[in-house]
Amino acid sequence: MHRARDIITVCPPNLDRTGFLSLDNRLDGGAGLTSRDWLLDRLRDGFQIRMLRAPRKGFIAFAPGRASWWPVFGADRCVVVQRLWVEAVNDSVALLLTEAEEWARYYGFWAVLALIGQGVDRCAEADLHARGYSIADDSDAGVMLCARILQGPTALPRLPRDWGARAAALGPGLVIQSAGHCPDQTARAEALVSHAREAGLAARLDRIDSAQDARNRLAAPGALFCVALDGEIIDTGQGTAPEIWQVIRRSKRL
């Protein structure tokens, strides 16, 4: 009963009334404003969003493994946290994680998973440990997979080990991989590709269009947008277009 007063379930009919998109913009952590249309598509795919009522500020987005955009293998019977942002610590993280866990239990999922570590600004490890999460897997990219087992026994999911190969598979020249989830990042990508082509550099956009495509091909852990130059990641959405272009010019001596 107490949680019900503190939590708003965000869904297509009430998306605009909840103020979620404005909150997402304030707490984006540099990821950029999420496109309303992209978010509506994800909600139809199975994403769940729970938002804290004012005066608290925060939200959690989670999805069944089949709808998750994060590359985690063996997660079909799990729920995967996609994003978790809070403005204050107190018990906000616990409230939001509880929402994901109870949803997972109700629908018979085996575990709730969350990514932490280098380049993944998701959940604080201490908050997860306090909720009974433990490290299920880690990778050479500095990313760890945390899991809270709800029922078992079950085989633990695992993270990719091929991040270098994923980046290399993007090929030569400038390649910008994007899920199309952020208008600002889309505009940044188009500007960089245009600059590169004008300078005589091979350049292209690599669009990720589905959850399965994301799990199979995302080239940077925890990022729906990345910039690769000759098969090496040089940005995951934090740099401005001029900053990234300067890196490219120095590297290619343009």
Side-chain angles (χ1 to χ4, degrees):
M1 291 291 292
H2 175 70
R3 283 205 318 279
R5 294 194 300 268
D6 292 331
I7 298 290
I8 299 170
T9 297
V10 179
C11 56
N14 72 2
L15 175 61
D16 296 321
R17 297 196 307 272
T18 62
F20 173 78
L21 290 171
S22 296
L23 176 65
D24 180 38
N25 191 28
R26 290 199 300 272
L27 302 180
D28 65 9
L33 177 64
T34 302
S35 159
R36 180 180 183 276
D37 289 342
W38 189 89
L39 184 60
L40 284 170
D41 285 342
R42 301 294 74 74
L43 289 168
R44 296 184 186 107
D45 288 344
F47 267 42
Q48 301 291 316
I49 298 176
R50 302 294 184 267
M51 175 180 169
L52 295 170
R53 291 187 185 275
R56 299 174 187 262
K57 293 184 175 65
F59 67 88
I60 188 171
F62 55 93
R66 60 171 176 77
S68 171
W69 282 57
W70 299 135
V72 179
F73 301 133
D76 287 354
R77 299 296 301 274
C78 302
V79 166
V80 185
V81 175
Q82 307 295 296
R83 298 181 66 195
L84 175 57
W85 302 110
V86 294
E87 189 173 75
V89 180
N90 49 58
D91 62 346
S92 295
V93 171
L95 278 171
L96 293 170
L97 286 172
T98 297
E99 288 293 311
E101 293 157 10
E102 294 200 349
W103 188 91
R105 283 193 186 94
Y106 182 83
Y107 287 101
F109 288 94
W110 292 347
V112 176
L113 311 175
L115 300 178
I116 60 172
Q118 180 180 340
V120 184
D121 198 355
R122 297 288 172 265
C123 316
E125 187 171 355
D127 293 320
L128 291 170
H129 283 321
R131 290 289 307 170
Y133 288 73
S134 57
I135 304 298
D137 194 18
D138 57 19
S139 74
D140 55 6
V143 175
M144 292 178 286
L145 178 67
C146 287
R148 182 173 186 185
I149 306 302
L150 304 178
Q151 56 179 319
T154 179
L156 292 175
R158 64 194 188 283
L159 293 170
R161 295 290 190 274
D162 61 345
W163 293 110
R166 286 173 178 240
L170 294 176
L174 175 68
V175 181
I176 302 179
Q177 188 180 77
S178 174
H181 66 299
C182 171
D184 291 343
Q185 289 181 345
T186 298
R188 190 183 318 165
E190 291 172 349
L192 286 167
V193 167
S194 178
H195 286 321
R197 288 174 176 170
E198 289 173 3
L201 180 65
R204 68 180 180 89
L205 297 175
D206 180 60
R207 183 66 179 264
I208 299 291
D209 291 319
S210 69
Q212 183 172 349
D213 201 24
R215 293 194 299 272
N216 291 338
R217 296 202 303 110
L218 280 178
L224 297 178
F225 176 95
C226 72
V227 181
L229 186 62
D230 294 330
E232 293 188 7
I233 306 300
I234 61 172
D235 182 80
T236 56
Q238 287 73 41
T240 64
E243 290 169 344
I244 298 169
W245 181 240
Q246 286 304 313
V247 173
I248 295 168
R249 288 188 61 187
R250 287 195 299 269
S251 177
K252 305 300 287 188
R253 298 181 180 179
L254 297 176

